Amino acid sequence: MFSENKRPGIIIVLIFLLWGSWVRAEDVIELGLKESIEIALEKNETILKEARHSLESARLGLVSTHKGYKPRSSLDITAGRNGVGTSSSSSAIQNSYSGSLLFDWSMLTFTKGLFSVGSSYNLSPTHNADDFANNLSIFCNLRQPLSSGGRLQQTAGVRNSEDRFKIAEMQYKDVLQNLILEVIYGYYEIVRTELSVEEVKEELERTKKLIRWTETRLKTGQIARVEKMKVEVQQAYAEDSLTQAIDVRREARRSFLRLLGLNKEKEVVLKKTTEISPIGFSKDEGVKTALENRLEIKMAEINLELVRLNISMASSENKPVLNLKGSCDWNGIGESQETERNWSVSGSVNLPFFDSGLTAVKVKEARLSYQRAKEEMKELKEDIVEEVERVYEQIENDLKRIDSLSKNLKIAEDALRINQKKYEMGMASVRDVLEAQRDLSGMKRAIQGAGISYVLDRARLFKAIGKLEDEYI
């Protein structure tokens, strides 16, 4: 499994996730990330419905295939009325009726042949209404291909049904993983919009404080009226930004609730997350795990094996097949008649020796399909390796950005505090303070963006290695 990450300081406190308490309504829903995923997997029907139908269809197809090798029986009853006569005589009315009971059972043998056994019993009246003709027949057949490809062809129906079911299971699992990833993105979209609202609120409060200082200095004649107007414009801009941020947050919450299959009018409160979880494995370990676990590779392996087997099956069409048959019949009329018994046993071998090259063409076609499947498998693995490496490197860049930006955040905070003090003392302009505010806001947004980028890239990485469910459920 994964080794411990040796890099020091892997756990980084997310400053941007420590936001204030939200206003709560009576119908507030408080959700954590894993809890949100569980709710979506249970209640979301829009995304999961089609995948569930496909899985159930494949399961029923598998059951149906196996049922074809179970015993079956049927009862056939016929009744009628006939009239016989000429133009000079009246018709003679005669009743007719008969019944038959049928039984058959086909099964695959351990030699991959097809063995069939069955019986039938027929009962019908003779010309003498007091007597009945009856017939009991028992038969058995064995069809045994003598080539390996022929034996594979005999079991192809069962194998194809089993493979279709396996692929349907993997496709369903892939849909689940995509849903989990979509929930993670939706969850952190709410985080992003909430942080945006809080940041605009902070900027608005700083601007209002700056206006109070400006008014004080304006009254004492230290600044011109135009300086206050600049701050008022900045306040109007911040108020408009706050309105937009609140609207975006509201829509993000509604979209997230729709994704979870919950009432979109409820209030969502996310449980706070205070740290970034470490990855816990190296890039090479991630690549190895991806090649072992990715569903696309497993489905491609099944397809590659089927195409390979098709070569053997195509070559078996001009190979010998052994047929063995046996039957026994008992016939009798009435209770006083002696029963007649007939039996037969036969065997035959079918030996195709000329098919105008049809089999050779089919084998060549199957080999070309196999070669294409191998090339597609190779390309798929290369794409997956590239994806894992790219996402892993992006995560490393995210961590570097968070570390660098966090150090510069303190500088931006100190710069704003110094400019505010200077402005109070008449040693700095309004422009200096506004620029310092914008620098601090930009730095906070950058840290928030890097943090959210990290948690989303981390989710993408676990999906890329086929471990998303294990990590987030």
Side-chain angles (χ1 to χ4, degrees), residues 24-55:
R24 302 192 178 211
E26 293 181 358
D27 55 348
V28 163
I29 301 176
E30 186 175 4
L31 296 172
L33 178 57
K34 290 191 176 183
E35 185 180 5
S36 300
I37 292 172
E38 291 172 359
I39 292 173
L41 295 180
E42 178 184 355
K43 294 184 177 294
N44 184 293
E45 288 297 329
T46 304
I47 296 176
L48 298 180
K49 184 180 295 183
E50 184 176 348
R52 283 173 177 161
H53 287 170
S54 298
L55 179 59

PDB file of all heavy atoms in Angstrom, residues 24-55:
ATOM      1  N   ARG A  24     -28.504  31.041  10.541  1.00  0.00           N
ATOM      2  CA  ARG A  24     -29.190  29.768  10.451  1.00  0.00           C
ATOM      3  C   ARG A  24     -30.689  29.951  10.427  1.00  0.00           C
ATOM      4  O   ARG A  24     -31.233  30.721  11.179  1.00  0.00           O
ATOM      5  CB  ARG A  24     -28.793  28.862  11.616  1.00  0.00           C
ATOM      6  CG  ARG A  24     -27.293  28.614  11.653  1.00  0.00           C
ATOM      7  CD  ARG A  24     -26.950  27.502  12.599  1.00  0.00           C
ATOM      8  NE  ARG A  24     -25.525  27.250  12.572  1.00  0.00           N
ATOM      9  CZ  ARG A  24     -24.986  26.076  12.783  1.00  0.00           C
ATOM     10  NH1 ARG A  24     -25.751  25.038  13.017  1.00  0.00           N
ATOM     11  NH2 ARG A  24     -23.678  25.917  12.767  1.00  0.00           N
ATOM     12  N   ALA A  25     -31.338  29.203   9.569  1.00  0.00           N
ATOM     13  CA  ALA A  25     -32.796  29.171   9.514  1.00  0.00           C
ATOM     14  C   ALA A  25     -33.278  27.918  10.210  1.00  0.00           C
ATOM     15  O   ALA A  25     -32.477  27.078  10.628  1.00  0.00           O
ATOM     16  CB  ALA A  25     -33.265  29.190   8.051  1.00  0.00           C
ATOM     17  N   GLU A  26     -34.606  27.789  10.336  1.00  0.00           N
ATOM     18  CA  GLU A  26     -35.162  26.627  11.035  1.00  0.00           C
ATOM     19  C   GLU A  26     -34.885  25.328  10.297  1.00  0.00           C
ATOM     20  O   GLU A  26     -34.796  24.267  10.898  1.00  0.00           O
ATOM     21  CB  GLU A  26     -36.670  26.808  11.213  1.00  0.00           C
ATOM     22  CG  GLU A  26     -37.035  27.935  12.166  1.00  0.00           C
ATOM     23  CD  GLU A  26     -38.529  28.064  12.328  1.00  0.00           C
ATOM     24  OE1 GLU A  26     -39.258  27.295  11.668  1.00  0.00           O
ATOM     25  OE2 GLU A  26     -38.966  28.913  13.112  1.00  0.00           O
ATOM     26  N   ASP A  27     -34.802  25.426   8.953  1.00  0.00           N
ATOM     27  CA  ASP A  27     -34.591  24.205   8.157  1.00  0.00           C
ATOM     28  C   ASP A  27     -33.152  24.105   7.669  1.00  0.00           C
ATOM     29  O   ASP A  27     -32.887  23.731   6.533  1.00  0.00           O
ATOM     30  CB  ASP A  27     -35.551  24.177   6.970  1.00  0.00           C
ATOM     31  CG  ASP A  27     -35.442  25.424   6.113  1.00  0.00           C
ATOM     32  OD1 ASP A  27     -34.805  26.401   6.561  1.00  0.00           O
ATOM     33  OD2 ASP A  27     -35.986  25.410   5.003  1.00  0.00           O
ATOM     34  N   VAL A  28     -32.198  24.472   8.505  1.00  0.00           N
ATOM     35  CA  VAL A  28     -30.783  24.423   8.136  1.00  0.00           C
ATOM     36  C   VAL A  28     -30.319  22.973   8.026  1.00  0.00           C
ATOM     37  O   VAL A  28     -30.704  22.112   8.818  1.00  0.00           O
ATOM     38  CB  VAL A  28     -29.942  25.178   9.187  1.00  0.00           C
ATOM     39  CG1 VAL A  28     -28.470  24.810   9.077  1.00  0.00           C
ATOM     40  CG2 VAL A  28     -30.120  26.668   9.018  1.00  0.00           C
ATOM     41  N   ILE A  29     -29.495  22.682   7.011  1.00  0.00           N
ATOM     42  CA  ILE A  29     -28.853  21.380   6.863  1.00  0.00           C
ATOM     43  C   ILE A  29     -27.350  21.576   7.052  1.00  0.00           C
ATOM     44  O   ILE A  29     -26.729  22.330   6.306  1.00  0.00           O
ATOM     45  CB  ILE A  29     -29.114  20.772   5.475  1.00  0.00           C
ATOM     46  CG1 ILE A  29     -30.608  20.605   5.228  1.00  0.00           C
ATOM     47  CG2 ILE A  29     -28.418  19.429   5.329  1.00  0.00           C
ATOM     48  CD1 ILE A  29     -30.930  20.100   3.843  1.00  0.00           C
ATOM     49  N   GLU A  30     -26.782  20.927   8.039  1.00  0.00           N
ATOM     50  CA  GLU A  30     -25.337  21.008   8.265  1.00  0.00           C
ATOM     51  C   GLU A  30     -24.685  19.769   7.681  1.00  0.00           C
ATOM     52  O   GLU A  30     -25.030  18.642   8.036  1.00  0.00           O
ATOM     53  CB  GLU A  30     -25.031  21.123   9.762  1.00  0.00           C
ATOM     54  CG  GLU A  30     -23.553  21.363  10.043  1.00  0.00           C
ATOM     55  CD  GLU A  30     -23.270  21.600  11.515  1.00  0.00           C
ATOM     56  OE1 GLU A  30     -24.214  21.493  12.326  1.00  0.00           O
ATOM     57  OE2 GLU A  30     -22.108  21.889  11.846  1.00  0.00           O
ATOM     58  N   LEU A  31     -23.762  19.973   6.760  1.00  0.00           N
ATOM     59  CA  LEU A  31     -23.188  18.862   6.011  1.00  0.00           C
ATOM     60  C   LEU A  31     -21.668  18.908   6.040  1.00  0.00           C
ATOM     61  O   LEU A  31     -21.056  19.969   5.894  1.00  0.00           O
ATOM     62  CB  LEU A  31     -23.650  18.908   4.549  1.00  0.00           C
ATOM     63  CG  LEU A  31     -25.148  18.740   4.268  1.00  0.00           C
ATOM     64  CD1 LEU A  31     -25.438  18.999   2.808  1.00  0.00           C
ATOM     65  CD2 LEU A  31     -25.609  17.355   4.671  1.00  0.00           C
ATOM     66  N   GLY A  32     -21.076  17.726   6.205  1.00  0.00           N
ATOM     67  CA  GLY A  32     -19.657  17.550   5.969  1.00  0.00           C
ATOM     68  C   GLY A  32     -19.470  16.948   4.589  1.00  0.00           C
ATOM     69  O   GLY A  32     -20.435  16.549   3.930  1.00  0.00           O
ATOM     70  N   LEU A  33     -18.230  16.849   4.138  1.00  0.00           N
ATOM     71  CA  LEU A  33     -17.981  16.354   2.782  1.00  0.00           C
ATOM     72  C   LEU A  33     -18.402  14.897   2.628  1.00  0.00           C
ATOM     73  O   LEU A  33     -19.147  14.542   1.709  1.00  0.00           O
ATOM     74  CB  LEU A  33     -16.503  16.521   2.431  1.00  0.00           C
ATOM     75  CG  LEU A  33     -16.094  16.007   1.052  1.00  0.00           C
ATOM     76  CD1 LEU A  33     -16.927  16.680  -0.039  1.00  0.00           C
ATOM     77  CD2 LEU A  33     -14.604  16.228   0.812  1.00  0.00           C
ATOM     78  N   LYS A  34     -17.941  14.027   3.534  1.00  0.00           N
ATOM     79  CA  LYS A  34     -18.288  12.608   3.413  1.00  0.00           C
ATOM     80  C   LYS A  34     -19.783  12.384   3.590  1.00  0.00           C
ATOM     81  O   LYS A  34     -20.388  11.540   2.924  1.00  0.00           O
ATOM     82  CB  LYS A  34     -17.495  11.788   4.435  1.00  0.00           C
ATOM     83  CG  LYS A  34     -16.000  11.698   4.119  1.00  0.00           C
ATOM     84  CD  LYS A  34     -15.298  10.679   4.995  1.00  0.00           C
ATOM     85  CE  LYS A  34     -13.832  10.530   4.588  1.00  0.00           C
ATOM     86  NZ  LYS A  34     -13.136   9.490   5.388  1.00  0.00           N
ATOM     87  N   GLU A  35     -20.378  13.144   4.484  1.00  0.00           N
ATOM     88  CA  GLU A  35     -21.827  13.041   4.680  1.00  0.00           C
ATOM     89  C   GLU A  35     -22.572  13.444   3.411  1.00  0.00           C
ATOM     90  O   GLU A  35     -23.561  12.814   3.023  1.00  0.00           O
ATOM     91  CB  GLU A  35     -22.239  13.941   5.847  1.00  0.00           C
ATOM     92  CG  GLU A  35     -23.704  13.841   6.227  1.00  0.00           C
ATOM     93  CD  GLU A  35     -24.049  14.749   7.386  1.00  0.00           C
ATOM     94  OE1 GLU A  35     -23.161  15.515   7.827  1.00  0.00           O
ATOM     95  OE2 GLU A  35     -25.198  14.705   7.842  1.00  0.00           O
ATOM     96  N   SER A  36     -22.087  14.483   2.734  1.00  0.00           N
ATOM     97  CA  SER A  36     -22.700  14.926   1.482  1.00  0.00           C
ATOM     98  C   SER A  36     -22.596  13.845   0.413  1.00  0.00           C
ATOM     99  O   SER A  36     -23.546  13.600  -0.341  1.00  0.00           O
ATOM    100  CB  SER A  36     -22.018  16.209   0.989  1.00  0.00           C
ATOM    101  OG  SER A  36     -22.141  17.247   1.936  1.00  0.00           O
ATOM    102  N   ILE A  37     -21.451  13.194   0.346  1.00  0.00           N
ATOM    103  CA  ILE A  37     -21.261  12.124  -0.637  1.00  0.00           C
ATOM    104  C   ILE A  37     -22.221  10.972  -0.372  1.00  0.00           C
ATOM    105  O   ILE A  37     -22.850  10.420  -1.297  1.00  0.00           O
ATOM    106  CB  ILE A  37     -19.799  11.641  -0.617  1.00  0.00           C
ATOM    107  CG1 ILE A  37     -18.874  12.742  -1.140  1.00  0.00           C
ATOM    108  CG2 ILE A  37     -19.636  10.370  -1.445  1.00  0.00           C
ATOM    109  CD1 ILE A  37     -17.407  12.442  -0.983  1.00  0.00           C
ATOM    110  N   GLU A  38     -22.353  10.579   0.895  1.00  0.00           N
ATOM    111  CA  GLU A  38     -23.266   9.488   1.246  1.00  0.00           C
ATOM    112  C   GLU A  38     -24.710   9.819   0.865  1.00  0.00           C
ATOM    113  O   GLU A  38     -25.446   8.967   0.358  1.00  0.00           O
ATOM    114  CB  GLU A  38     -23.161   9.194   2.748  1.00  0.00           C
ATOM    115  CG  GLU A  38     -21.833   8.577   3.158  1.00  0.00           C
ATOM    116  CD  GLU A  38     -21.673   8.482   4.662  1.00  0.00           C
ATOM    117  OE1 GLU A  38     -22.606   8.932   5.382  1.00  0.00           O
ATOM    118  OE2 GLU A  38     -20.637   7.972   5.132  1.00  0.00           O
ATOM    119  N   ILE A  39     -25.119  11.076   1.109  1.00  0.00           N
ATOM    120  CA  ILE A  39     -26.486  11.488   0.764  1.00  0.00           C
ATOM    121  C   ILE A  39     -26.688  11.435  -0.748  1.00  0.00           C
ATOM    122  O   ILE A  39     -27.717  10.954  -1.238  1.00  0.00           O
ATOM    123  CB  ILE A  39     -26.768  12.897   1.302  1.00  0.00           C
ATOM    124  CG1 ILE A  39     -26.821  12.872   2.836  1.00  0.00           C
ATOM    125  CG2 ILE A  39     -28.084  13.437   0.747  1.00  0.00           C
ATOM    126  CD1 ILE A  39     -26.934  14.241   3.463  1.00  0.00           C
ATOM    127  N   ALA A  40     -25.709  11.916  -1.504  1.00  0.00           N
ATOM    128  CA  ALA A  40     -25.826  11.907  -2.971  1.00  0.00           C
ATOM    129  C   ALA A  40     -25.923  10.484  -3.513  1.00  0.00           C
ATOM    130  O   ALA A  40     -26.728  10.194  -4.406  1.00  0.00           O
ATOM    131  CB  ALA A  40     -24.629  12.632  -3.590  1.00  0.00           C
ATOM    132  N   LEU A  41     -25.119   9.573  -2.973  1.00  0.00           N
ATOM    133  CA  LEU A  41     -25.151   8.182  -3.438  1.00  0.00           C
ATOM    134  C   LEU A  41     -26.465   7.502  -3.088  1.00  0.00           C
ATOM    135  O   LEU A  41     -26.888   6.556  -3.760  1.00  0.00           O
ATOM    136  CB  LEU A  41     -23.981   7.403  -2.830  1.00  0.00           C
ATOM    137  CG  LEU A  41     -22.585   7.857  -3.259  1.00  0.00           C
ATOM    138  CD1 LEU A  41     -21.523   7.007  -2.585  1.00  0.00           C
ATOM    139  CD2 LEU A  41     -22.422   7.797  -4.769  1.00  0.00           C
ATOM    140  N   GLU A  42     -27.120   7.981  -2.038  1.00  0.00           N
ATOM    141  CA  GLU A  42     -28.392   7.386  -1.622  1.00  0.00           C
ATOM    142  C   GLU A  42     -29.585   8.024  -2.315  1.00  0.00           C
ATOM    143  O   GLU A  42     -30.522   7.323  -2.738  1.00  0.00           O
ATOM    144  CB  GLU A  42     -28.546   7.535  -0.110  1.00  0.00           C
ATOM    145  CG  GLU A  42     -29.866   6.990   0.421  1.00  0.00           C
ATOM    146  CD  GLU A  42     -30.055   7.237   1.899  1.00  0.00           C
ATOM    147  OE1 GLU A  42     -29.119   7.753   2.547  1.00  0.00           O
ATOM    148  OE2 GLU A  42     -31.144   6.932   2.420  1.00  0.00           O
ATOM    149  N   LYS A  43     -29.554   9.346  -2.508  1.00  0.00           N
ATOM    150  CA  LYS A  43     -30.752  10.050  -2.946  1.00  0.00           C
ATOM    151  C   LYS A  43     -30.715  10.537  -4.390  1.00  0.00           C
ATOM    152  O   LYS A  43     -31.756  10.828  -4.964  1.00  0.00           O
ATOM    153  CB  LYS A  43     -31.026  11.243  -2.016  1.00  0.00           C
ATOM    154  CG  LYS A  43     -31.380  10.849  -0.593  1.00  0.00           C
ATOM    155  CD  LYS A  43     -31.726  12.063   0.246  1.00  0.00           C
ATOM    156  CE  LYS A  43     -32.146  11.664   1.658  1.00  0.00           C
ATOM    157  NZ  LYS A  43     -33.409  10.903   1.644  1.00  0.00           N
ATOM    158  N   ASN A  44     -29.539  10.688  -4.972  1.00  0.00           N
ATOM    159  CA  ASN A  44     -29.480  11.199  -6.338  1.00  0.00           C
ATOM    160  C   ASN A  44     -29.952  10.122  -7.312  1.00  0.00           C
ATOM    161  O   ASN A  44     -29.365   9.050  -7.401  1.00  0.00           O
ATOM    162  CB  ASN A  44     -28.055  11.636  -6.690  1.00  0.00           C
ATOM    163  CG  ASN A  44     -27.975  12.253  -8.063  1.00  0.00           C
ATOM    164  OD1 ASN A  44     -28.168  11.598  -9.075  1.00  0.00           O
ATOM    165  ND2 ASN A  44     -27.687  13.540  -8.099  1.00  0.00           N
ATOM    166  N   GLU A  45     -31.005  10.406  -8.048  1.00  0.00           N
ATOM    167  CA  GLU A  45     -31.552   9.454  -9.017  1.00  0.00           C
ATOM    168  C   GLU A  45     -31.282   9.889 -10.445  1.00  0.00           C
ATOM    169  O   GLU A  45     -31.295   9.083 -11.358  1.00  0.00           O
ATOM    170  CB  GLU A  45     -33.066   9.285  -8.800  1.00  0.00           C
ATOM    171  CG  GLU A  45     -33.422   8.512  -7.539  1.00  0.00           C
ATOM    172  CD  GLU A  45     -32.917   7.079  -7.567  1.00  0.00           C
ATOM    173  OE1 GLU A  45     -32.834   6.502  -8.674  1.00  0.00           O
ATOM    174  OE2 GLU A  45     -32.590   6.553  -6.498  1.00  0.00           O
ATOM    175  N   THR A  46     -31.058  11.160 -10.672  1.00  0.00           N
ATOM    176  CA  THR A  46     -30.853  11.659 -12.028  1.00  0.00           C
ATOM    177  C   THR A  46     -29.623  11.033 -12.667  1.00  0.00           C
ATOM    178  O   THR A  46     -29.669  10.557 -13.802  1.00  0.00           O
ATOM    179  CB  THR A  46     -30.707  13.192 -12.010  1.00  0.00           C
ATOM    180  OG1 THR A  46     -31.847  13.759 -11.384  1.00  0.00           O
ATOM    181  CG2 THR A  46     -30.578  13.738 -13.420  1.00  0.00           C
ATOM    182  N   ILE A  47     -28.515  11.021 -11.957  1.00  0.00           N
ATOM    183  CA  ILE A  47     -27.256  10.508 -12.504  1.00  0.00           C
ATOM    184  C   ILE A  47     -27.185   8.990 -12.410  1.00  0.00           C
ATOM    185  O   ILE A  47     -26.711   8.315 -13.329  1.00  0.00           O
ATOM    186  CB  ILE A  47     -26.064  11.155 -11.764  1.00  0.00           C
ATOM    187  CG1 ILE A  47     -26.050  12.666 -12.027  1.00  0.00           C
ATOM    188  CG2 ILE A  47     -24.749  10.536 -12.186  1.00  0.00           C
ATOM    189  CD1 ILE A  47     -24.982  13.422 -11.277  1.00  0.00           C
ATOM    190  N   LEU A  48     -27.673   8.430 -11.299  1.00  0.00           N
ATOM    191  CA  LEU A  48     -27.493   6.994 -11.046  1.00  0.00           C
ATOM    192  C   LEU A  48     -28.529   6.120 -11.737  1.00  0.00           C
ATOM    193  O   LEU A  48     -28.301   4.927 -11.937  1.00  0.00           O
ATOM    194  CB  LEU A  48     -27.535   6.724  -9.535  1.00  0.00           C
ATOM    195  CG  LEU A  48     -26.454   7.398  -8.697  1.00  0.00           C
ATOM    196  CD1 LEU A  48     -26.636   7.040  -7.233  1.00  0.00           C
ATOM    197  CD2 LEU A  48     -25.074   6.973  -9.166  1.00  0.00           C
ATOM    198  N   LYS A  49     -29.681   6.680 -12.113  1.00  0.00           N
ATOM    199  CA  LYS A  49     -30.782   5.856 -12.603  1.00  0.00           C
ATOM    200  C   LYS A  49     -30.395   5.041 -13.831  1.00  0.00           C
ATOM    201  O   LYS A  49     -30.599   3.821 -13.886  1.00  0.00           O
ATOM    202  CB  LYS A  49     -31.988   6.738 -12.923  1.00  0.00           C
ATOM    203  CG  LYS A  49     -33.221   5.959 -13.348  1.00  0.00           C
ATOM    204  CD  LYS A  49     -34.389   6.892 -13.665  1.00  0.00           C
ATOM    205  CE  LYS A  49     -34.829   7.632 -12.428  1.00  0.00           C
ATOM    206  NZ  LYS A  49     -36.016   8.491 -12.688  1.00  0.00           N
ATOM    207  N   GLU A  50     -29.827   5.693 -14.844  1.00  0.00           N
ATOM    208  CA  GLU A  50     -29.486   4.994 -16.085  1.00  0.00           C
ATOM    209  C   GLU A  50     -28.434   3.922 -15.840  1.00  0.00           C
ATOM    210  O   GLU A  50     -28.505   2.828 -16.391  1.00  0.00           O
ATOM    211  CB  GLU A  50     -28.990   6.001 -17.118  1.00  0.00           C
ATOM    212  CG  GLU A  50     -28.711   5.375 -18.475  1.00  0.00           C
ATOM    213  CD  GLU A  50     -28.308   6.398 -19.520  1.00  0.00           C
ATOM    214  OE1 GLU A  50     -28.457   7.610 -19.253  1.00  0.00           O
ATOM    215  OE2 GLU A  50     -27.864   5.986 -20.591  1.00  0.00           O
ATOM    216  N   ALA A  51     -27.442   4.232 -14.997  1.00  0.00           N
ATOM    217  CA  ALA A  51     -26.394   3.257 -14.698  1.00  0.00           C
ATOM    218  C   ALA A  51     -26.970   2.050 -13.965  1.00  0.00           C
ATOM    219  O   ALA A  51     -26.577   0.905 -14.225  1.00  0.00           O
ATOM    220  CB  ALA A  51     -25.291   3.903 -13.858  1.00  0.00           C
ATOM    221  N   ARG A  52     -27.923   2.288 -13.062  1.00  0.00           N
ATOM    222  CA  ARG A  52     -28.557   1.176 -12.350  1.00  0.00           C
ATOM    223  C   ARG A  52     -29.368   0.310 -13.304  1.00  0.00           C
ATOM    224  O   ARG A  52     -29.374  -0.921 -13.196  1.00  0.00           O
ATOM    225  CB  ARG A  52     -29.443   1.719 -11.240  1.00  0.00           C
ATOM    226  CG  ARG A  52     -28.664   2.190 -10.013  1.00  0.00           C
ATOM    227  CD  ARG A  52     -29.560   2.880  -9.009  1.00  0.00           C
ATOM    228  NE  ARG A  52     -28.832   3.268  -7.813  1.00  0.00           N
ATOM    229  CZ  ARG A  52     -29.251   4.177  -6.949  1.00  0.00           C
ATOM    230  NH1 ARG A  52     -30.403   4.800  -7.147  1.00  0.00           N
ATOM    231  NH2 ARG A  52     -28.534   4.478  -5.882  1.00  0.00           N
ATOM    232  N   HIS A  53     -30.066   0.942 -14.240  1.00  0.00           N
ATOM    233  CA  HIS A  53     -30.836   0.178 -15.224  1.00  0.00           C
ATOM    234  C   HIS A  53     -29.918  -0.697 -16.072  1.00  0.00           C
ATOM    235  O   HIS A  53     -30.238  -1.860 -16.353  1.00  0.00           O
ATOM    236  CB  HIS A  53     -31.627   1.133 -16.114  1.00  0.00           C
ATOM    237  CG  HIS A  53     -32.799   1.750 -15.410  1.00  0.00           C
ATOM    238  ND1 HIS A  53     -33.527   2.789 -15.957  1.00  0.00           N
ATOM    239  CD2 HIS A  53     -33.374   1.508 -14.207  1.00  0.00           C
ATOM    240  CE1 HIS A  53     -34.495   3.142 -15.129  1.00  0.00           C
ATOM    241  NE2 HIS A  53     -34.417   2.377 -14.054  1.00  0.00           N
ATOM    242  N   SER A  54     -28.788  -0.147 -16.503  1.00  0.00           N
ATOM    243  CA  SER A  54     -27.838  -0.916 -17.314  1.00  0.00           C
ATOM    244  C   SER A  54     -27.278  -2.090 -16.520  1.00  0.00           C
ATOM    245  O   SER A  54     -27.135  -3.199 -17.052  1.00  0.00           O
ATOM    246  CB  SER A  54     -26.701  -0.005 -17.790  1.00  0.00           C
ATOM    247  OG  SER A  54     -27.186   1.035 -18.607  1.00  0.00           O
ATOM    248  N   LEU A  55     -26.965  -1.851 -15.248  1.00  0.00           N
ATOM    249  CA  LEU A  55     -26.437  -2.928 -14.410  1.00  0.00           C
ATOM    250  C   LEU A  55     -27.474  -4.023 -14.206  1.00  0.00           C
ATOM    251  O   LEU A  55     -27.164  -5.214 -14.301  1.00  0.00           O
ATOM    252  CB  LEU A  55     -25.994  -2.357 -13.058  1.00  0.00           C
ATOM    253  CG  LEU A  55     -25.429  -3.355 -12.050  1.00  0.00           C
ATOM    254  CD1 LEU A  55     -24.204  -4.061 -12.609  1.00  0.00           C
ATOM    255  CD2 LEU A  55     -25.083  -2.651 -10.738  1.00  0.00           C
TER     256      LEU A  55
END
